[in-house]
Every structure is written in C-alpha cells, then in structure tokens.
Amino acid sequence: MTKKVELKQKVLSENDRIAGELRESFLSRDVVVLNLVSSPGSGKTSLLERTLGTLRDQMDIALIAGDVHTENDADRLKAAGGRMVWPLVTGGSCHLDARMISRVLPEIDLSQVELLFIENVGNLVCPAGFDLGEAMKVVLISTTEGDDKPLKYPAMFRRSSVMVVNKIDLMGTSDFSLQRVRENALRINPELEVFEVSCRTGEGLESWIDWLRSLVRKRASALSSI
Amino acid sequence: MTKKVELKQKVLSENDRIAGELRESFLSRDVVVLNLVSSPGSGKTSLLERTLGTLRDQMDIALIAGDVHTENDADRLKAAGGRMVWPLVTGGSCHLDARMISRVLPEIDLSQVELLFIENVGNLVCPAGFDLGEAMKVVLISTTEGDDKPLKYPAMFRRSSVMVVNKIDLMGTSDFSLQRVRENALRINPELEVFEVSCRTGEGLESWIDWLRSLVRKRASALSSI
C-alpha cells in the first residue's frame, strides 16, 4: 500500500506542475478560469446555460465540458448560445486532471476569452484533489441532496471559494434547510462565498451574474494598472 | 502512465481476490448482500430507513454505512430501528473496497443475518470498479438528477442488477422523464430490474419490499434444497 500512496503523490505532484503552467497561461492572458464541481445532477450545466443566456453577448465566454461518457453537456451549452465549447470525455476517469486540460488548450485562442468555465465530472470526491490551474473552484449543491453534504465531503468544500445552492424552488419538498447547509459549509470553510439560486425559475441568479461580471472587471483593471 | 495502469490492475485484482473470499462467506452463511450505489443525495439512506421501517421485525437486516466523513448515515439507520449497523468511514477514499468490508466483517455475526445492505460512498463513478462480494449492486437515481445519467455513467448501470428511481413525487419539477431514464438504463443494461419509488411519500415502495422478501426467501429455499 505504501507504493500506492507514493504513486498517488507522484501523480498529484505531476498534476500540480502542469496546473501551475496552465495557471500561468491563464493569468498572463487575463482569463478568469472557474472549475465547476458537484454531484451528478446538481445543475452545473443548467447554471452554465443560464449564465450564457445572460452574459453571452456581454463577455467572451469559453467552456470545457467534462464528462465520463457522452457529449450531452457540450451539446446543451452550444444550444444555449455557447460559441466556444469543447467537450472533454474522460472515457472512464472520475475527474478531470491538468493534463487533460493542457491537451484541449491549444485549440482555444485564449486572447479571445475573458471567462473560461471548466465543467468537471459529476463527483463530489475525486475532482477535489486535482488542480486544473483555475482561479477558483465553484461547488454546486442542490436542495434535493441533503444539507449535510459539506460535512460528508469536506475536501471539496474546503478547496472551493464559492458555493452555489441550486434548486431553491424545490425547498419544502424535503427537510433541507438553507441555513443549515450554509452553517455546515462555513464550518468547513469560513471564506466561502454563497449564492442561492434556482436555475429553473431564475431566482437568485442576478447576484451570481453580478459576481461574475465584477470578477472579470477586476481582473481586467488589475491588468491595466500594471 | 503505464506504471499507473499496472498498479491499478494490481489493486483491482487484489480487490477481486478479497471480494471472492467475502462472497464465499456470504453464500455459505446464506446472507443476501446488496451493494447500494448512487450520487450523493439520491436517497440511499432514505431508502434504507423506509426498508427498515417495514422489514425490521420480519427479517434480520444488517447494514454497513460507508461515508467519506461523518457517521451521519449510520446514526440515521440506528434511529430508524436498525439493530445491526456499522459505520464505515473511508477517511478520504471515494469508494468502499473489499478490504474495508473484510475489516468490519469479524464484528458481524453472519449467522444472525439474512439481508446485509452495504451503503456505498455517494459517487457514481469509482464504486463501480470495486466488487465487495455482494450478490448484486443496486443503483439509485433520483428524478432531480437528470434522465441521461445512465448514458453518462454507463459502468455503474452496466454492473448493477437493479435500478431504483427515487423521488418520483418530485416529477414535473424538471423535464425528467421516467420513460426516458428507463430507456437509457436498459440500453446500457437490458437485464436491469427497475423500481420507481418515493421515499418521502412511500409510493412504489411495496414492490421494492416484495422483491427483497422474495430474494431472501429464494436464497433460503435454495439452501434447504441442497
């Protein structure tokens, strides 16, 4: 088992090396990169569809849609008006890693991109361990999943900067509590920025969109002040 | 990367060896073992709570509740009347493996057990690869997750014998279609037995319970005919 642990360390440090290079590319080209992680079915693709619906004509958004199998998510994002969408099918792997991103990257003209979303594989465990060179991880959780998820999957919530609670229109169909999920999440990571939204009704999305706008604006002004 | 693949093979074949021993123990003691797998929040624990509610006085049920962190699920199962409940906290690992089960097993008096549920870690990818010596895998999917999940996570649906579609009381809150999820699942695995239930309202649970009863009965009669 020691050999297994050593190899895991080696794989992770190799991943960190490549992620570091990716981060440098993104920073030098002024691209904000968000790595979206969640359980299967929390609504990553729906959130991106909604985001494209509002922002596609206001900023240049690229999307890498990771999945174990199928290009369904990439197809949905194109249908939602995504002009720069790359499917990334892992063919069995339970997470995206930095090498997979570095293989897609040459196809993307980063000078044309302000905001890049990487939609990770639906999995609350393994993607937590793999840096993709992102500015931050955004973890989604839906109100149908149970409000103790941050305690059960702490690594993911610790390594994320933002938590989006989706499907708030379904509140009341279970004993999920917005206050409890927030408390549980902040106990794991007090720095978490929290948004509560419904990708179905649109409720709460304005704050998320505003936050994205300010993120891209800040990055641009930081660059111009250099 | 070849070294990584080789090691993965070695880990899996070692797992298969231990799972084989576990399977022999279970069979020789006439214990039906079901390995419950799903995304986080599909309702594995709720299904077990409901199952205990009906069957706890009718047959001897043991439960191993796996989680990355916390013993929340085990606590819920005890509160639901589970008399033989073992938490199994993986401490980071994204799936249960046969060795973890073999470590818990000495604490369980199998001669007192007719039906053993193993509640796996919430993860639709990695647990598919690890045999735990079970009679069959039961995959849960909830109507709030999207009906294309069988196509996106085919390994899990291929290796399961049963699919339980949970949260049918929430049908109509999204475009999830029972017919489509059934078609997608059967395309991956035509042998799948399918149940449609709501652990909240109780709808559809009778068929699931009947099926469990017949499973245990069949096992017992197969033994007595030897």
Short mmCIF file of all heavy atoms in Angstrom, two decimals, chain A residues 112-178:
data_model
loop_
_atom_site.label_atom_id
_atom_site.label_comp_id
_atom_site.label_asym_id
_atom_site.label_seq_id
_atom_site.Cartn_x
_atom_site.Cartn_y
_atom_site.Cartn_z
N GLN A 112 -8.98 35.52 -27.04
CA GLN A 112 -10.39 35.85 -27.33
C GLN A 112 -11.31 35.53 -26.15
O GLN A 112 -12.53 35.56 -26.29
CB GLN A 112 -10.87 35.03 -28.54
CG GLN A 112 -10.10 35.28 -29.82
CD GLN A 112 -10.20 36.74 -30.25
OE1 GLN A 112 -11.30 37.32 -30.25
NE2 GLN A 112 -9.08 37.37 -30.56
N VAL A 113 -10.71 35.15 -25.00
CA VAL A 113 -11.53 34.65 -23.89
C VAL A 113 -11.34 35.53 -22.65
O VAL A 113 -10.22 35.85 -22.26
CB VAL A 113 -11.13 33.20 -23.55
CG1 VAL A 113 -11.94 32.68 -22.36
CG2 VAL A 113 -11.30 32.28 -24.75
N GLU A 114 -12.48 35.91 -22.04
CA GLU A 114 -12.40 36.63 -20.77
C GLU A 114 -12.68 35.69 -19.59
O GLU A 114 -12.10 35.81 -18.52
CB GLU A 114 -13.42 37.78 -20.75
CG GLU A 114 -13.04 38.92 -21.67
CD GLU A 114 -14.16 39.94 -21.78
OE1 GLU A 114 -15.19 39.61 -22.42
OE2 GLU A 114 -14.02 41.05 -21.23
N LEU A 115 -13.61 34.76 -19.83
CA LEU A 115 -14.06 33.89 -18.75
C LEU A 115 -14.12 32.46 -19.29
O LEU A 115 -14.76 32.21 -20.31
CB LEU A 115 -15.46 34.36 -18.29
CG LEU A 115 -16.17 33.59 -17.19
CD1 LEU A 115 -15.33 33.56 -15.92
CD2 LEU A 115 -17.54 34.23 -16.90
N LEU A 116 -13.40 31.55 -18.61
CA LEU A 116 -13.42 30.15 -19.04
C LEU A 116 -14.01 29.30 -17.92
O LEU A 116 -13.50 29.30 -16.79
CB LEU A 116 -11.99 29.68 -19.35
CG LEU A 116 -11.77 28.15 -19.52
CD1 LEU A 116 -12.55 27.60 -20.71
CD2 LEU A 116 -10.28 27.83 -19.67
N PHE A 117 -15.11 28.62 -18.24
CA PHE A 117 -15.67 27.67 -17.28
C PHE A 117 -15.19 26.26 -17.62
O PHE A 117 -15.24 25.84 -18.78
CB PHE A 117 -17.20 27.63 -17.38
CG PHE A 117 -17.88 28.81 -16.79
CD1 PHE A 117 -18.44 29.80 -17.60
CD2 PHE A 117 -18.00 28.96 -15.41
CE1 PHE A 117 -19.09 30.90 -17.06
CE2 PHE A 117 -18.65 30.05 -14.85
CZ PHE A 117 -19.19 31.02 -15.68
N ILE A 118 -14.71 25.55 -16.60
CA ILE A 118 -14.43 24.13 -16.78
C ILE A 118 -15.48 23.37 -15.99
O ILE A 118 -15.55 23.48 -14.76
CB ILE A 118 -13.02 23.76 -16.28
CG1 ILE A 118 -11.96 24.58 -17.02
CG2 ILE A 118 -12.76 22.27 -16.47
CD1 ILE A 118 -10.54 24.40 -16.49
N GLU A 119 -16.35 22.65 -16.69
CA GLU A 119 -17.38 21.86 -16.01
C GLU A 119 -16.79 20.49 -15.73
O GLU A 119 -16.55 19.71 -16.64
CB GLU A 119 -18.63 21.75 -16.88
CG GLU A 119 -19.74 20.98 -16.17
CD GLU A 119 -21.02 20.83 -17.00
OE1 GLU A 119 -21.21 21.54 -18.00
OE2 GLU A 119 -21.81 19.96 -16.62
N ASN A 120 -16.51 20.20 -14.47
CA ASN A 120 -15.85 18.95 -14.11
C ASN A 120 -16.83 17.77 -14.20
O ASN A 120 -18.03 17.95 -14.41
CB ASN A 120 -15.29 19.06 -12.69
CG ASN A 120 -13.95 18.37 -12.54
OD1 ASN A 120 -13.80 17.21 -12.92
ND2 ASN A 120 -12.96 19.07 -12.00
N VAL A 121 -16.32 16.56 -14.05
CA VAL A 121 -17.14 15.35 -13.96
C VAL A 121 -18.01 15.44 -12.70
O VAL A 121 -17.56 15.95 -11.67
CB VAL A 121 -16.23 14.11 -13.89
CG1 VAL A 121 -17.02 12.85 -13.59
CG2 VAL A 121 -15.44 13.96 -15.18
N GLY A 122 -19.23 14.96 -12.77
CA GLY A 122 -20.11 14.97 -11.59
C GLY A 122 -19.62 13.99 -10.55
O GLY A 122 -19.75 12.78 -10.69
N ASN A 123 -18.99 14.52 -9.50
CA ASN A 123 -18.35 13.67 -8.49
C ASN A 123 -17.89 14.60 -7.38
O ASN A 123 -17.09 15.50 -7.62
CB ASN A 123 -17.16 12.93 -9.14
CG ASN A 123 -16.44 11.99 -8.19
OD1 ASN A 123 -16.57 12.12 -6.96
ND2 ASN A 123 -15.67 11.08 -8.74
N LEU A 124 -18.36 14.37 -6.17
CA LEU A 124 -18.00 15.27 -5.05
C LEU A 124 -16.69 14.89 -4.38
O LEU A 124 -16.26 15.57 -3.45
CB LEU A 124 -19.11 15.29 -4.00
CG LEU A 124 -20.16 16.39 -4.09
CD1 LEU A 124 -21.09 16.35 -2.88
CD2 LEU A 124 -19.54 17.77 -4.19
N VAL A 125 -16.08 13.79 -4.81
CA VAL A 125 -14.87 13.35 -4.11
C VAL A 125 -13.61 13.65 -4.92
O VAL A 125 -12.86 14.58 -4.63
CB VAL A 125 -14.93 11.84 -3.76
CG1 VAL A 125 -13.79 11.48 -2.82
CG2 VAL A 125 -16.27 11.47 -3.12
N CYS A 126 -13.38 12.87 -5.97
CA CYS A 126 -12.08 12.88 -6.65
C CYS A 126 -11.67 14.22 -7.27
O CYS A 126 -10.49 14.58 -7.19
CB CYS A 126 -12.03 11.76 -7.68
SG CYS A 126 -12.72 10.21 -7.06
N PRO A 127 -12.58 14.97 -7.89
CA PRO A 127 -12.13 16.22 -8.51
C PRO A 127 -11.53 17.21 -7.50
O PRO A 127 -10.83 18.13 -7.89
CB PRO A 127 -13.42 16.80 -9.14
CG PRO A 127 -14.27 15.60 -9.41
CD PRO A 127 -14.01 14.70 -8.22
N ALA A 128 -11.81 17.02 -6.20
CA ALA A 128 -11.25 17.92 -5.18
C ALA A 128 -9.73 17.89 -5.19
O ALA A 128 -9.08 18.89 -4.88
CB ALA A 128 -11.76 17.54 -3.79
N GLY A 129 -9.13 16.76 -5.56
CA GLY A 129 -7.69 16.60 -5.45
C GLY A 129 -6.91 17.12 -6.65
O GLY A 129 -5.68 17.14 -6.61
N PHE A 130 -7.58 17.53 -7.71
CA PHE A 130 -6.87 17.85 -8.94
C PHE A 130 -7.04 19.31 -9.34
O PHE A 130 -8.09 19.73 -9.81
CB PHE A 130 -7.34 16.92 -10.07
CG PHE A 130 -6.87 15.51 -9.88
CD1 PHE A 130 -7.57 14.64 -9.04
CD2 PHE A 130 -5.70 15.06 -10.47
CE1 PHE A 130 -7.12 13.34 -8.83
CE2 PHE A 130 -5.24 13.77 -10.26
CZ PHE A 130 -5.95 12.91 -9.44
N ASP A 131 -5.97 20.05 -9.13
CA ASP A 131 -5.91 21.45 -9.55
C ASP A 131 -5.88 21.49 -11.08
O ASP A 131 -5.15 20.72 -11.71
CB ASP A 131 -4.60 22.03 -8.98
CG ASP A 131 -4.43 23.51 -9.27
OD1 ASP A 131 -5.36 24.12 -9.83
OD2 ASP A 131 -3.36 24.06 -8.93
N LEU A 132 -6.69 22.36 -11.66
CA LEU A 132 -6.70 22.49 -13.13
C LEU A 132 -6.14 23.85 -13.56
O LEU A 132 -6.35 24.27 -14.69
CB LEU A 132 -8.12 22.29 -13.67
CG LEU A 132 -8.85 21.00 -13.26
CD1 LEU A 132 -10.25 20.96 -13.87
CD2 LEU A 132 -8.05 19.76 -13.68
N GLY A 133 -5.50 24.53 -12.63
CA GLY A 133 -4.97 25.85 -12.95
C GLY A 133 -6.02 26.95 -12.84
O GLY A 133 -5.80 28.09 -13.24
N GLU A 134 -7.17 26.61 -12.26
CA GLU A 134 -8.28 27.56 -12.17
C GLU A 134 -7.98 28.68 -11.17
O GLU A 134 -7.15 28.52 -10.28
CB GLU A 134 -9.55 26.83 -11.71
CG GLU A 134 -9.52 26.33 -10.27
CD GLU A 134 -9.01 24.90 -10.13
OE1 GLU A 134 -8.61 24.31 -11.15
OE2 GLU A 134 -8.99 24.39 -9.00
N ALA A 135 -8.71 29.80 -11.33
CA ALA A 135 -8.65 30.86 -10.32
C ALA A 135 -9.34 30.39 -9.06
O ALA A 135 -8.87 30.62 -7.95
CB ALA A 135 -9.32 32.13 -10.85
N MET A 136 -10.48 29.73 -9.23
CA MET A 136 -11.16 29.14 -8.07
C MET A 136 -12.09 28.01 -8.47
O MET A 136 -12.51 27.91 -9.63
CB MET A 136 -11.93 30.20 -7.27
CG MET A 136 -12.70 31.21 -8.05
SD MET A 136 -13.40 32.48 -6.93
CE MET A 136 -12.39 33.90 -7.31
N LYS A 137 -12.37 27.16 -7.49
CA LYS A 137 -13.38 26.12 -7.66
C LYS A 137 -14.72 26.68 -7.19
O LYS A 137 -14.79 27.35 -6.15
CB LYS A 137 -13.04 24.89 -6.82
CG LYS A 137 -11.97 24.01 -7.39
CD LYS A 137 -11.88 22.69 -6.59
CE LYS A 137 -10.83 21.77 -7.17
NZ LYS A 137 -9.44 22.29 -7.11
N VAL A 138 -15.77 26.37 -7.93
CA VAL A 138 -17.13 26.72 -7.54
C VAL A 138 -17.87 25.40 -7.31
O VAL A 138 -18.01 24.60 -8.23
CB VAL A 138 -17.83 27.52 -8.67
CG1 VAL A 138 -19.29 27.77 -8.31
CG2 VAL A 138 -17.10 28.82 -8.94
N VAL A 139 -18.32 25.16 -6.09
CA VAL A 139 -19.03 23.90 -5.82
C VAL A 139 -20.53 24.16 -5.81
O VAL A 139 -21.02 25.10 -5.20
CB VAL A 139 -18.56 23.26 -4.49
CG1 VAL A 139 -18.81 24.15 -3.28
CG2 VAL A 139 -19.23 21.90 -4.28
N LEU A 140 -21.26 23.33 -6.57
CA LEU A 140 -22.72 23.41 -6.58
C LEU A 140 -23.28 22.35 -5.67
O LEU A 140 -22.75 21.23 -5.57
CB LEU A 140 -23.24 23.10 -7.98
CG LEU A 140 -23.70 24.31 -8.80
CD1 LEU A 140 -22.46 24.94 -9.39
CD2 LEU A 140 -24.65 23.89 -9.88
N ILE A 141 -24.40 22.66 -5.03
CA ILE A 141 -25.12 21.67 -4.27
C ILE A 141 -26.59 22.00 -4.47
O ILE A 141 -26.97 23.16 -4.55
CB ILE A 141 -24.71 21.70 -2.78
CG1 ILE A 141 -25.53 20.73 -1.98
CG2 ILE A 141 -24.80 23.10 -2.19
CD1 ILE A 141 -25.01 20.54 -0.57
N SER A 142 -27.42 20.99 -4.63
CA SER A 142 -28.84 21.28 -4.84
C SER A 142 -29.64 20.91 -3.60
O SER A 142 -29.23 20.07 -2.80
CB SER A 142 -29.35 20.54 -6.08
OG SER A 142 -29.40 19.16 -5.85
N THR A 143 -30.77 21.59 -3.46
CA THR A 143 -31.57 21.42 -2.23
C THR A 143 -32.18 20.03 -2.13
O THR A 143 -32.70 19.68 -1.08
CB THR A 143 -32.72 22.46 -2.19
OG1 THR A 143 -33.61 22.18 -3.28
CG2 THR A 143 -32.20 23.87 -2.28
N THR A 144 -32.11 19.25 -3.20
CA THR A 144 -32.66 17.89 -3.13
C THR A 144 -31.62 16.88 -2.64
O THR A 144 -31.92 15.70 -2.53
CB THR A 144 -33.15 17.46 -4.53
OG1 THR A 144 -32.09 17.66 -5.46
CG2 THR A 144 -34.34 18.28 -4.96
N GLU A 145 -30.41 17.34 -2.33
CA GLU A 145 -29.33 16.41 -1.98
C GLU A 145 -29.11 16.19 -0.49
O GLU A 145 -28.40 15.26 -0.12
CB GLU A 145 -28.00 16.92 -2.56
CG GLU A 145 -27.88 16.74 -4.04
CD GLU A 145 -26.65 17.47 -4.58
OE1 GLU A 145 -25.54 17.20 -4.09
OE2 GLU A 145 -26.81 18.32 -5.46
N GLY A 146 -29.62 17.07 0.35
CA GLY A 146 -29.34 16.90 1.78
C GLY A 146 -28.35 17.96 2.24
O GLY A 146 -27.31 18.17 1.60
N ASP A 147 -28.66 18.61 3.38
CA ASP A 147 -27.85 19.76 3.79
C ASP A 147 -26.59 19.38 4.58
O ASP A 147 -25.85 20.25 5.03
CB ASP A 147 -28.69 20.78 4.57
CG ASP A 147 -29.51 20.13 5.67
OD1 ASP A 147 -29.01 19.15 6.26
OD2 ASP A 147 -30.63 20.59 5.94
N ASP A 148 -26.34 18.05 4.74
CA ASP A 148 -25.12 17.65 5.45
C ASP A 148 -23.97 17.33 4.49
O ASP A 148 -22.91 16.90 4.93
CB ASP A 148 -25.38 16.47 6.39
CG ASP A 148 -25.87 15.23 5.65
OD1 ASP A 148 -26.20 15.34 4.45
OD2 ASP A 148 -25.92 14.15 6.29
N LYS A 149 -24.17 17.57 3.20
CA LYS A 149 -23.13 17.23 2.22
C LYS A 149 -21.79 17.91 2.49
O LYS A 149 -20.74 17.27 2.33
CB LYS A 149 -23.60 17.50 0.79
CG LYS A 149 -24.68 16.53 0.28
CD LYS A 149 -24.18 15.11 0.19
CE LYS A 149 -25.30 14.11 -0.04
NZ LYS A 149 -26.20 13.92 1.12
N PRO A 150 -21.75 19.18 2.93
CA PRO A 150 -20.43 19.78 3.22
C PRO A 150 -19.66 19.02 4.30
O PRO A 150 -18.43 18.95 4.24
CB PRO A 150 -20.79 21.20 3.69
CG PRO A 150 -22.10 21.50 3.03
CD PRO A 150 -22.84 20.19 3.04
N LEU A 151 -20.37 18.44 5.26
CA LEU A 151 -19.68 17.69 6.32
C LEU A 151 -19.21 16.33 5.81
O LEU A 151 -18.20 15.80 6.27
CB LEU A 151 -20.62 17.49 7.52
CG LEU A 151 -21.23 18.78 8.11
CD1 LEU A 151 -22.14 18.43 9.28
CD2 LEU A 151 -20.11 19.72 8.56
N LYS A 152 -19.98 15.76 4.88
CA LYS A 152 -19.63 14.43 4.38
C LYS A 152 -18.54 14.47 3.31
O LYS A 152 -17.85 13.48 3.09
CB LYS A 152 -20.88 13.75 3.80
CG LYS A 152 -21.90 13.36 4.87
CD LYS A 152 -23.20 12.96 4.22
CE LYS A 152 -23.65 11.61 4.67
NZ LYS A 152 -24.83 11.15 3.92
N TYR A 153 -18.44 15.58 2.62
CA TYR A 153 -17.44 15.72 1.55
C TYR A 153 -16.63 16.99 1.80
O TYR A 153 -16.61 17.91 0.96
CB TYR A 153 -18.14 15.76 0.17
CG TYR A 153 -18.98 14.53 -0.08
CD1 TYR A 153 -20.30 14.47 0.31
CD2 TYR A 153 -18.42 13.40 -0.69
CE1 TYR A 153 -21.06 13.32 0.11
CE2 TYR A 153 -19.16 12.26 -0.90
CZ TYR A 153 -20.48 12.23 -0.50
OH TYR A 153 -21.22 11.09 -0.70
N PRO A 154 -15.95 17.07 2.95
CA PRO A 154 -15.34 18.34 3.36
C PRO A 154 -14.23 18.83 2.43
O PRO A 154 -14.08 20.04 2.23
CB PRO A 154 -14.79 18.04 4.75
CG PRO A 154 -14.67 16.55 4.83
CD PRO A 154 -15.76 16.01 3.95
N ALA A 155 -13.48 17.91 1.81
CA ALA A 155 -12.34 18.36 0.98
C ALA A 155 -12.83 19.28 -0.12
O ALA A 155 -12.23 20.31 -0.42
CB ALA A 155 -11.60 17.16 0.39
N MET A 156 -13.96 18.89 -0.73
CA MET A 156 -14.47 19.69 -1.85
C MET A 156 -14.89 21.09 -1.41
O MET A 156 -14.65 22.07 -2.13
CB MET A 156 -15.66 18.95 -2.46
CG MET A 156 -16.07 19.51 -3.79
SD MET A 156 -14.73 19.39 -4.98
CE MET A 156 -15.21 17.94 -5.89
N PHE A 157 -15.51 21.17 -0.24
CA PHE A 157 -15.98 22.48 0.22
C PHE A 157 -14.82 23.32 0.76
O PHE A 157 -14.85 24.55 0.70
CB PHE A 157 -17.11 22.30 1.24
CG PHE A 157 -18.38 21.78 0.59
CD1 PHE A 157 -18.52 20.42 0.32
CD2 PHE A 157 -19.37 22.65 0.20
CE1 PHE A 157 -19.66 19.94 -0.31
CE2 PHE A 157 -20.53 22.18 -0.44
CZ PHE A 157 -20.66 20.82 -0.69
N ARG A 158 -13.79 22.65 1.28
CA ARG A 158 -12.62 23.37 1.78
C ARG A 158 -11.86 24.00 0.63
O ARG A 158 -11.33 25.11 0.74
CB ARG A 158 -11.73 22.40 2.57
CG ARG A 158 -10.68 23.09 3.41
CD ARG A 158 -9.95 22.11 4.31
NE ARG A 158 -10.85 21.44 5.23
CZ ARG A 158 -11.02 20.11 5.32
NH1 ARG A 158 -10.32 19.31 4.53
NH2 ARG A 158 -11.86 19.58 6.19
N ARG A 159 -11.79 23.28 -0.51
CA ARG A 159 -10.97 23.77 -1.63
C ARG A 159 -11.74 24.66 -2.59
O ARG A 159 -11.18 25.12 -3.57
CB ARG A 159 -10.39 22.56 -2.36
CG ARG A 159 -9.33 21.90 -1.50
CD ARG A 159 -8.73 20.68 -2.10
NE ARG A 159 -7.95 20.00 -1.07
CZ ARG A 159 -7.59 18.73 -1.11
NH1 ARG A 159 -7.92 18.00 -2.16
NH2 ARG A 159 -6.90 18.19 -0.14
N SER A 160 -13.03 24.85 -2.32
CA SER A 160 -13.81 25.73 -3.19
C SER A 160 -13.84 27.13 -2.59
O SER A 160 -13.70 27.31 -1.38
CB SER A 160 -15.24 25.20 -3.32
OG SER A 160 -15.23 23.98 -4.04
N SER A 161 -13.99 28.13 -3.45
CA SER A 161 -14.10 29.51 -2.98
C SER A 161 -15.54 29.97 -2.95
O SER A 161 -15.88 30.93 -2.28
CB SER A 161 -13.30 30.43 -3.90
OG SER A 161 -11.99 29.95 -4.06
N VAL A 162 -16.38 29.27 -3.71
CA VAL A 162 -17.77 29.67 -3.86
C VAL A 162 -18.66 28.44 -3.75
O VAL A 162 -18.30 27.37 -4.25
CB VAL A 162 -17.99 30.31 -5.27
CG1 VAL A 162 -19.44 30.70 -5.47
CG2 VAL A 162 -17.07 31.49 -5.45
N MET A 163 -19.80 28.59 -3.09
CA MET A 163 -20.81 27.52 -3.08
C MET A 163 -22.09 28.09 -3.68
O MET A 163 -22.60 29.11 -3.21
CB MET A 163 -21.07 27.02 -1.66
CG MET A 163 -22.25 26.05 -1.59
SD MET A 163 -22.48 25.29 0.06
CE MET A 163 -23.25 26.63 0.98
N VAL A 164 -22.60 27.43 -4.71
CA VAL A 164 -23.89 27.81 -5.27
C VAL A 164 -24.91 26.76 -4.84
O VAL A 164 -24.75 25.58 -5.15
CB VAL A 164 -23.82 27.89 -6.81
CG1 VAL A 164 -25.20 28.24 -7.38
CG2 VAL A 164 -22.79 28.92 -7.26
N VAL A 165 -25.93 27.18 -4.10
CA VAL A 165 -27.00 26.27 -3.72
C VAL A 165 -28.10 26.39 -4.77
O VAL A 165 -28.72 27.45 -4.91
CB VAL A 165 -27.57 26.62 -2.33
CG1 VAL A 165 -28.60 25.58 -1.91
CG2 VAL A 165 -26.45 26.71 -1.29
N ASN A 166 -28.32 25.32 -5.52
CA ASN A 166 -29.26 25.35 -6.64
C ASN A 166 -30.58 24.67 -6.25
O ASN A 166 -30.66 23.99 -5.24
CB ASN A 166 -28.63 24.65 -7.85
CG ASN A 166 -29.47 24.78 -9.12
OD1 ASN A 166 -30.28 25.70 -9.26
ND2 ASN A 166 -29.30 23.85 -10.05
N LYS A 167 -31.59 24.88 -7.08
CA LYS A 167 -32.92 24.27 -6.92
C LYS A 167 -33.64 24.78 -5.67
O LYS A 167 -34.33 24.02 -5.00
CB LYS A 167 -32.83 22.73 -6.89
CG LYS A 167 -32.09 22.14 -8.10
CD LYS A 167 -32.20 20.62 -8.21
CE LYS A 167 -31.23 20.08 -9.26
NZ LYS A 167 -31.21 18.64 -9.40
N ILE A 168 -33.48 26.08 -5.37
CA ILE A 168 -34.18 26.60 -4.18
C ILE A 168 -35.69 26.64 -4.42
O ILE A 168 -36.45 26.76 -3.46
CB ILE A 168 -33.67 28.01 -3.74
CG1 ILE A 168 -33.75 29.01 -4.89
CG2 ILE A 168 -32.24 27.93 -3.23
CD1 ILE A 168 -33.48 30.45 -4.44
N ASP A 169 -36.12 26.51 -5.69
CA ASP A 169 -37.57 26.43 -5.95
C ASP A 169 -38.15 25.12 -5.41
O ASP A 169 -39.35 24.99 -5.24
CB ASP A 169 -37.86 26.53 -7.45
CG ASP A 169 -37.11 25.46 -8.26
OD1 ASP A 169 -35.86 25.41 -8.15
OD2 ASP A 169 -37.76 24.68 -8.98
N LEU A 170 -37.30 24.13 -5.11
CA LEU A 170 -37.79 22.85 -4.59
C LEU A 170 -37.70 22.78 -3.06
O LEU A 170 -37.91 21.71 -2.48
CB LEU A 170 -37.02 21.68 -5.22
CG LEU A 170 -37.19 21.53 -6.74
CD1 LEU A 170 -36.39 20.34 -7.25
CD2 LEU A 170 -38.66 21.36 -7.10
N MET A 171 -37.38 23.90 -2.44
CA MET A 171 -37.37 23.95 -0.97
C MET A 171 -38.75 23.56 -0.47
O MET A 171 -39.76 23.95 -1.05
CB MET A 171 -37.07 25.37 -0.49
CG MET A 171 -35.62 25.79 -0.62
SD MET A 171 -34.53 24.83 0.41
CE MET A 171 -35.20 25.22 2.03
N GLY A 172 -38.76 22.81 0.62
CA GLY A 172 -40.05 22.42 1.19
C GLY A 172 -40.48 21.04 0.75
O GLY A 172 -41.38 20.44 1.32
N THR A 173 -39.80 20.48 -0.29
CA THR A 173 -40.14 19.12 -0.69
C THR A 173 -39.31 18.12 0.12
O THR A 173 -39.50 16.92 0.02
CB THR A 173 -39.85 18.89 -2.19
OG1 THR A 173 -38.46 19.13 -2.43
CG2 THR A 173 -40.67 19.83 -3.05
N SER A 174 -38.37 18.60 0.90
CA SER A 174 -37.61 17.75 1.81
C SER A 174 -37.31 18.59 3.06
O SER A 174 -37.75 19.73 3.14
CB SER A 174 -36.30 17.30 1.16
OG SER A 174 -35.43 18.41 1.03
N ASP A 175 -36.53 18.06 4.00
CA ASP A 175 -36.24 18.89 5.18
C ASP A 175 -34.91 19.63 5.04
O ASP A 175 -34.30 20.05 6.02
CB ASP A 175 -36.27 18.04 6.46
CG ASP A 175 -35.24 16.92 6.41
OD1 ASP A 175 -34.59 16.77 5.35
OD2 ASP A 175 -35.09 16.20 7.41
N PHE A 176 -34.48 19.82 3.79
CA PHE A 176 -33.27 20.59 3.50
C PHE A 176 -33.43 22.02 4.03
O PHE A 176 -34.45 22.67 3.77
CB PHE A 176 -33.05 20.63 1.99
CG PHE A 176 -31.77 21.29 1.57
CD1 PHE A 176 -30.65 20.54 1.27
CD2 PHE A 176 -31.68 22.68 1.45
CE1 PHE A 176 -29.48 21.14 0.86
CE2 PHE A 176 -30.50 23.29 1.05
CZ PHE A 176 -29.40 22.52 0.75
N SER A 177 -32.44 22.51 4.75
CA SER A 177 -32.51 23.87 5.29
C SER A 177 -31.36 24.71 4.73
O SER A 177 -30.19 24.32 4.82
CB SER A 177 -32.44 23.80 6.82
OG SER A 177 -31.80 24.94 7.34
N LEU A 178 -31.71 25.87 4.17
CA LEU A 178 -30.69 26.76 3.62
C LEU A 178 -29.75 27.24 4.70
O LEU A 178 -28.54 27.36 4.49
CB LEU A 178 -31.35 27.96 2.93
CG LEU A 178 -31.97 27.69 1.56
CD1 LEU A 178 -32.73 28.91 1.06
CD2 LEU A 178 -30.90 27.29 0.54
#
